[in-house]
Amino acid sequence: MQNNKLLSLIIILLFGITILFSFASSIFYVVESTERAVIFRKFSGGLDKKNIIPPGFNYKMPWNDIYKFDITDNLVEETIDVLDKNGLNINVDVTMSFHPVYDSIGEIYETFQMDYLRRLVRPEFRSTVRQVMGRFTAEEIYSTKRSEVETLIQSEASLVLMKPGNNIVMKSLLIRSISLPDQIKNAIESKLQQEQEALAYQFRLEKEKSEAERKRIAAEGEAKANRIINNSLTPNLLKMRGIEATSKLAESPNSKVIVVGSGKDGLPIILGNN
């Protein structure tokens, strides 16, 4: 009798374990560190948008559904045909980086399900690129205002993607390349080259002008100094300086003959064998 009860208990236990393992994948689940999840309770409230499930090991009723969202930065690379301000067709390659707002994935799922990239991000992104680039000429986009165009696209796309219900954070944007008709591209590059040459020529002119001004100022300074010196060198001063020099020479040990009053202007003549 005892053996029959033990056997029945073992059978029931094994059956329970079998059932548990059969439904384990429907009961237990793991949310990775790069994910957030929302739960859909079929019989008690539907989609729980407020309670976002963080990373870790979790469990649920087998009939409830779990939807996991990747919250890491995602990249969208688009090749888009746009018209510039003058109606010229331009082909651009653009990359944007984005991620969903972590605590709003319930709202994102309610509106777009798991397809928010195709239904929201790509259409709005492409539309903003066309709108912004349509305000500039091909030359500006290709050369002088490329960074400005990138900034405008990012700021305007961010406003749309962050609206209530969308909840997408745009991290960065890069215009990778711009393709123009060869004739237009060659004309723009030729113009840019001519502008660079003109700037280089202007720089040389300014440099030469500055150098000429420097020389003029130096020459005027030197002439002024010479005038001051010439005005100060009177005959009496020259005689006094000559006498002072003669006195110093007379005191040196080298042998010499000094003829006093025989030189020009009455200055001494110094004769020596050294």
Side-chain angles (χ1 to χ4, degrees):
M1 191 68 176
Q2 290 291 338
N3 290 337
N4 291 336
K5 287 184 178 181
L6 180 60
L7 181 60
S8 298
L9 182 61
I10 291 173
I11 292 174
I12 292 172
L13 182 60
L14 290 175
F15 180 75
I17 292 174
T18 302
I19 295 297
L20 180 63
F21 274 101
S22 298
F23 286 95
S25 60
S26 301
I27 297 173
F28 302 105
Y29 63 94
V30 175
V31 178
E32 302 293 341
S33 60
T34 58
E35 297 176 327
R36 297 292 186 275
V38 289
I39 188 169
F40 180 79
R41 297 184 174 91
K42 294 182 179 179
F43 306 113
S44 58
L47 183 67
D48 188 353
K49 296 184 295 182
K50 294 184 179 180
N51 297 309
I52 306 302
I53 302 170
F57 181 80
N58 297 275
Y59 66 91
K60 64 180 181 64
M61 294 296 102
W63 51 82
N64 292 336
D65 295 323
I66 288 294
Y67 302 103
K68 299 178 184 178
F69 278 75
D70 179 6
I71 61 168
T72 57
D73 288 352
N74 292 279
L75 289 178
V76 170
E77 295 184 349
E78 291 285 332
T79 299
I80 308 172
D81 290 324
V82 302
L83 296 177
D84 78 341
K85 186 177 181 179
N86 298 324
L88 178 68
N89 185 268
I90 307 172
N91 184 267
V92 293
D93 291 326
V94 190
T95 298
M96 70 168 287
S97 171
F98 69 95
H99 66 77
V101 177
Y102 308 151
D103 297 330
S104 300
I105 60 173
E107 295 179 8
I108 295 174
Y109 181 80
E110 183 179 49
T111 307
F112 306 104
Q113 286 71 55
M114 303 300 292
D115 201 18
Y116 68 93
L117 175 60
R118 183 183 66 87
R119 297 173 61 185
L120 170 64
V121 176
R122 286 186 184 275
E124 293 296 345
F125 177 47
R126 295 174 69 90
S127 175
T128 303
V129 169
R130 290 192 174 100
Q131 289 176 12
V132 172
M133 289 192 172
R135 304 172 200 159
F136 297 85
T137 64
E139 180 181 349
E140 291 172 334
I141 298 171
Y142 186 79
S143 57
T144 58
K145 295 189 177 182
R146 185 165 177 164
S147 61
E148 181 181 344
V149 171
E150 289 178 337
T151 301
L152 284 173
I153 293 173
Q154 181 172 349
S155 61
E156 294 186 19
S158 294
L159 290 176
V160 176
L161 294 176
M162 274 300 292
K163 285 182 177 179
N166 293 345
N167 302 304
I168 302 297
V169 177
M170 187 172 183
K171 297 291 292 297
S172 63
L173 179 134
L174 174 67
I175 298 176
R176 301 193 313 276
S177 65
I178 302 171
S179 299
L180 302 174
D182 290 340
Q183 183 179 1
I184 301 298
K185 181 180 178 181
N186 293 337
I188 292 174
E189 290 179 347
S190 176
K191 180 182 177 181
L192 292 175
Q193 182 178 358
Q194 292 174 7
E195 289 176 350
Q196 292 298 319
E197 291 175 353
L199 288 173
Y201 179 71
Q202 185 64 29
F203 174 77
R204 289 195 299 270
L205 287 180
E206 293 294 332
K207 184 178 179 181
E208 292 173 0
K209 182 179 179 181
S210 298
E211 180 64 15
E213 182 67 12
R214 184 192 66 79
K215 291 180 178 179
R216 183 187 66 78
I217 294 173
E220 289 180 353
E222 185 176 353
K224 184 177 181 180
N226 289 334
R227 285 196 299 271
I228 294 173
I229 293 172
N230 291 334
N231 292 335
S232 64
L233 294 178
T234 62
N236 292 332
L237 178 61
L238 290 173
K239 287 182 180 180
M240 183 183 71
R241 296 301 184 193
I243 294 170
E244 290 175 353
T246 302
S247 300
K248 290 182 180 180
L249 288 171
E251 295 173 355
S252 67
N254 297 326
S255 61
K256 62 189 70 67
V257 176
I258 301 175
V259 180
V260 179
S262 298
K264 186 180 178 181
D265 297 326
L267 293 177
I269 296 176
I270 301 171
L271 304 176
N273 59 358
N274 294 323

